[in-house]
Amino acid sequence: MSSLGDAIDSSLEKRLEDSGNGTGALIAAIRLLNRGAVRWALRLLMKEVELDGEKKPLMEWVLAKYVGESQCPTVAHFVAPFFELGMKLATAWLHADEEPIKQLLSDPAVRRGIVTTLRGIALFGVTTPQKLPAPFFIVWNFTNACNLRCIHCYQNAGKPLPNELTLEEKLRVVRELDEAGVPAIALSGGEPTVHRDFWPILAEMARRGFYTAIATNGITFADMEFAERAKKLGLRYVEISIDAADPNIHDKFRGVPGAWSRAVQGLRNAVKLGLSAALAFTVTKVNINEVDKVLDLAQEIGVRRVVFFNFVPVGRGRENLDIDLSPEEREQFLRYIYKEMKRRKMEIVSTAPQYGRVVNQLGNGSDTAPTHFVVANDPITRELTEFIGGCGAGRVYAGLEPDGTLTPCVFLPYPVGNLRVRSFWDIWMDPFMENFRDRDRLEGFCGRCPYKLICGGCRARAYNYFGDVLAPDPGCIYNSNEWKKLVKDLPRVKIKVSPLTFK
C-alpha cells in the first residue's frame, strides 16, 4: 500500500501551499497526522469509554460535548475544553467560522465518520487508499422477500430465506455496527419495507445516531402515511429505483404491472416530506435510451440527485448478460451524464468507478468524483480523492446479507464471515479484505492504470465475470480486449434492446 510520501511530491506540495486555497494546510495536517507522536495521541483518544452501557471512543464523546451535548463521561468533560481551545485557535489561523463546523458536528453520523477516519490513521497511518477500521456505510440486504421480480436483481429476491436473522439478532447487529464505528446503514433487499422488522430496526438505527437510508422500489412509499411514519421514526435518505420514464419499460424490467406509477408516487411523497431523495437507475441496453427522459422526470418531480447504477451480472443478472453495456457504450454514457450534470446543474453520479476518471478527464482536473456519492470541484476534495476514491467495496462500504453474512459489496457475494459466529472487527480485518485496500495487488491494466487510485475498476464486475476480485474490470474502455474475449463465451439471451443513441 502506497505511503503518503509516494502520493504527493514535494513540488506539488509547495505549489499548493503557495496557492492560498487551503490545500497546503490540508497537506500539512495530513503529514502531521502521520507522525508517530500524533498517532500515539490519536490512539489514546480512540480508547473506548462507556456511559450507561453505551460504548464510544473518547474522541466521539469529546465531539459530542463540543457541540453542546451534556450526557458525556467525566473524562470527556475534562478533555473537551482543550479540544475547544484547539478548534478556536485553528479556525482563527485559517480565518474560518467555527459555527458551521459545530453545526456539521451536531450530526452524530458525521462525528462517527470523522472518528472512524482518525481511528484508521491512528491504527494504520495515512495510506492511499486510506485504510479504515470500519466502513463508512453498510448496505444491509434486510430480507430476501420482495414484492417485485426485477430481471437484474442482484439478490435474486422473491421469498424470504429460512435462515434470516431474527429481530433479536438484528438488534444485536445494529449495536455491534454502532460500537464498530459505522456511521451509516442503508437498508436494501429484497424489499426491506415489506418485512415486519423494518419499523423496530429503523427506529433503533435512528436512536443510535446512524445516518439512516433505504434503497427501495418505492411501492410502499406511494402510501403517504407509510412515508410519513418512516420519516417520523428517523429515516433520512430515500433512494427509489425508476428504470425508465416509459411505464411499460419500467414495469417489464421490474416484473409487475403498475410498479412505475407507484414508484413515481413514492418519490413524489419523499420529496414532499422533505426527505433527502434520489432516483436510482440501473443502466442496461434495455433502457439506456431512457436516460434523458428519466433526468427530465427527476427534475419534474423535484429530485436533485440521480444515481446511475452499474449493471453487475449477479443474481438474476447472470441470466441476462446480454443487457450489459460494452466498454465503449459505458464510456460514452459516463461522458454524457457528466455533461448533463453540468448542463442541468443537478447531482448526477454513477456507481461505475470509471466515472471518477471520466470526471477528472472531462473536467481538466478541476472536477473530481472521489466516490459515487458526489462530484465536487473544490481543491480540498481533489486532494482527498486518492485517499477515498474509486471502488469502495471492502474499504468504505460492505454488504450484509439477510442471514448475517458480511460481503465486500452487495454485488460481490463472497462470504467473508457471518456475524452470528464472528465479530464485525474480525470479519472486517479478514486477510481477504486486504485485496480491496491495496491497489498494488490489482492485475492486468487495472494494476498499472494511472487512474487506479481514483478508480480501481469495479471489483464486483471483475469477480462476477472472472471469479477473481483482482482481475481487470471488463467494463472499462481500457479493458476492451478483455471484454471482446468474454463476449465470445457469453450465453445468448433473447432480450429486445435498442441501439445506443443520445439526443
Side-chain angles (χ1 to χ4, degrees):
M1 195 170 294
S2 303
S3 67
L4 181 65
D6 295 330
I8 306 171
D9 65 62
S10 58
S11 61
L12 174 62
E13 180 181 351
K14 181 66 169 64
R15 186 164 67 252
L16 290 172
E17 286 175 346
D18 292 341
S19 69
N21 58 17
T23 53
L26 174 67
I27 292 173
I30 292 174
R31 285 196 181 277
L32 180 64
L33 287 172
N34 209 33
R35 292 183 180 275
V38 175
R39 288 178 58 197
W40 175 82
L42 283 175
R43 283 194 288 270
L44 289 180
L45 289 170
M46 297 304 140
K47 295 287 187 181
E48 282 194 342
V49 180
E50 186 173 347
L51 178 68
D52 297 333
E54 190 173 2
K55 295 179 181 179
K56 292 180 182 178
L58 173 58
M59 186 66 187
E60 195 169 338
W61 289 116
V62 169
L63 290 176
K65 175 63 178 172
Y66 172 66
V67 297
E69 295 188 13
S70 58
Q71 295 296 317
C72 297
T74 302
V75 65
H77 285 278
F78 175 76
V79 176
F82 296 98
F83 177 81
E84 186 168 355
L85 176 61
M87 287 298 296
K88 289 186 181 299
L89 292 173
T91 51
W93 178 56
L94 294 170
H95 304 289
D97 186 357
E98 189 178 3
E99 195 54 38
I101 297 174
K102 282 191 171 183
Q103 290 177 4
L104 182 67
L105 291 175
S106 65
D107 185 339
V110 172
R111 297 198 297 266
R112 191 175 298 172
I114 291 172
V115 170
T116 295
T117 303
L118 292 175
R119 186 168 162 233
I121 294 172
L123 292 173
F124 313 116
V126 177
T127 60
T128 51
Q130 182 58 49
K131 190 173 179 180
L132 299 170
F136 286 138
F137 75 102
I138 292 283
V139 178
W140 187 351
N141 290 332
F142 199 66
T143 178
N144 205 60
C146 191
N147 47 7
L148 295 184
R149 192 71 179 169
C150 309
I151 66 171
H152 63 304
C153 178
Y154 65 80
Q155 192 68 10
N156 199 11
K159 296 181 179 180
L161 302 175
N163 61 340
E164 293 185 0
L165 296 173
T166 65
L167 176 58
E168 182 180 358
E169 288 175 319
K170 290 187 180 87
L171 290 169
R172 182 184 60 78
V173 165
V174 172
R175 183 181 71 248
E176 188 167 358
L177 295 179
D178 182 7
E179 293 176 352
V182 176
I185 299 177
L187 299 180
S188 187
E191 174 53 43
T193 62
V194 302
H195 198 283
R196 63 181 179 275
D197 294 342
F198 171 71
W199 297 117
I201 293 301
L202 173 61
E204 179 65 6
M205 292 193 310
R207 185 188 72 81
R208 288 183 173 271
F210 286 100
Y211 185 87
T212 52
I214 187 170
T216 171
N217 57 40
I219 301 295
T220 53
F221 277 83
D223 179 351
M224 179 58 90
E225 289 186 5
F226 184 98
E228 288 174 338
R229 184 182 179 189
K231 181 181 179 181
K232 185 177 180 180
L233 284 179
L235 185 65
R236 298 175 62 178
Y237 177 83
V238 180
E239 192 171 274
I240 294 179
S241 297
I242 298 176
D243 291 304
D246 183 333
N248 293 323
I249 295 176
H250 176 90
D251 290 356
K252 185 176 181 181
F253 211 59
R254 295 284 164 177
V256 174
W260 183 89
S261 61
R262 292 186 66 81
V264 169
Q265 185 58 51
L267 200 51
R268 291 188 191 279
N269 288 346
V271 171
K272 186 175 181 179
L273 288 172
L275 286 163
S276 179
L279 185 155
F281 181 108
T282 300
V283 189
T284 67
K285 290 180 183 291
V286 175
N287 62 357
I288 194 166
N289 289 323
E290 289 286 300
V291 169
D292 279 316
K293 296 173 185 176
V294 163
L295 290 174
D296 290 340
L297 176 64
Q299 289 185 303
E300 184 269 316
I301 292 173
V303 174
R304 296 298 305 161
R305 178 179 174 83
V306 177
V307 182
F308 287 102
F309 275 78
N310 208 16
F311 173 79
V312 180
V314 62
R316 278 198 291 275
R318 291 202 70 80
E319 303 168 11
N320 298 287
L321 295 175
D322 269 9
I323 69 176
D324 197 1
L325 302 182
S326 69
E328 292 76 15
E329 289 170 330
R330 181 171 285 99
E331 183 76 7
Q332 184 180 349
F333 164 72
L334 293 175
R335 288 174 173 268
Y336 180 78
I337 63 171
Y338 171 75
K339 294 174 182 176
E340 283 299 289
M341 180 195 69
K342 304 295 281 188
R343 184 178 75 84
R344 294 175 183 260
K345 301 188 186 315
M346 63 187 299
E347 289 184 72
I348 302 177
V349 294
S350 172
T351 63
Q354 291 83 12
Y355 193 52
R357 168 185 55 79
V358 168
V359 168
N360 183 276
Q361 290 173 331
L362 294 186
N364 295 317
S366 62
D367 286 346
T368 185
T371 71
H372 65 259
F373 305 116
V374 66
V375 175
N377 61 3
D378 63 279
I380 290 179
T381 303
R382 284 199 298 274
E383 290 307 310
L384 290 175
T385 298
E386 291 190 352
F387 299 101
I388 61 176
C391 178
R395 198 172 54 80
V396 298
Y397 66 85
L400 182 60
E401 292 297 300
D403 68 348
T405 297
L406 198 75
T407 66
C409 169
V410 292
F411 296 102
L412 203 166
Y414 183 93
V416 185
N418 192 290
L419 290 173
R420 279 173 164 152
V421 294
R422 292 173 66 185
S423 70
F424 178 83
W425 171 259
D426 185 45
I427 300 172
W428 183 248
M429 296 308 296
D430 189 278
F432 177 76
M433 298 294 250
E434 284 299 309
N435 290 315
F436 305 94
R437 300 163 190 170
D438 184 356
R439 297 275 165 84
D440 290 337
R441 295 188 182 189
L442 295 177
E443 299 170 356
F445 187 80
C446 284
R448 59 182 185 274
C449 178
Y451 295 99
K452 70 179 180 181
L453 290 179
I454 64 173
C455 173
C458 176
R459 297 300 94 212
R461 287 178 57 83
Y463 178 76
N464 286 290
Y465 272 117
F466 295 113
D468 182 357
V469 298
L470 298 174
D473 176 359
C476 178
I477 191 72
Y478 297 143
N479 289 322
S480 294
N481 288 336
E482 300 288 348
W483 176 257
K484 290 174 183 176
K485 295 175 188 175
L486 275 174
V487 293
K488 294 179 181 178
D489 300 321
L490 294 182
R492 301 295 93 189
V493 181
K494 294 182 179 179
I495 293 179
K496 185 178 180 181
V497 298
S498 303
L500 177 66
T501 58
F502 290 120
K503 70 179 182 182

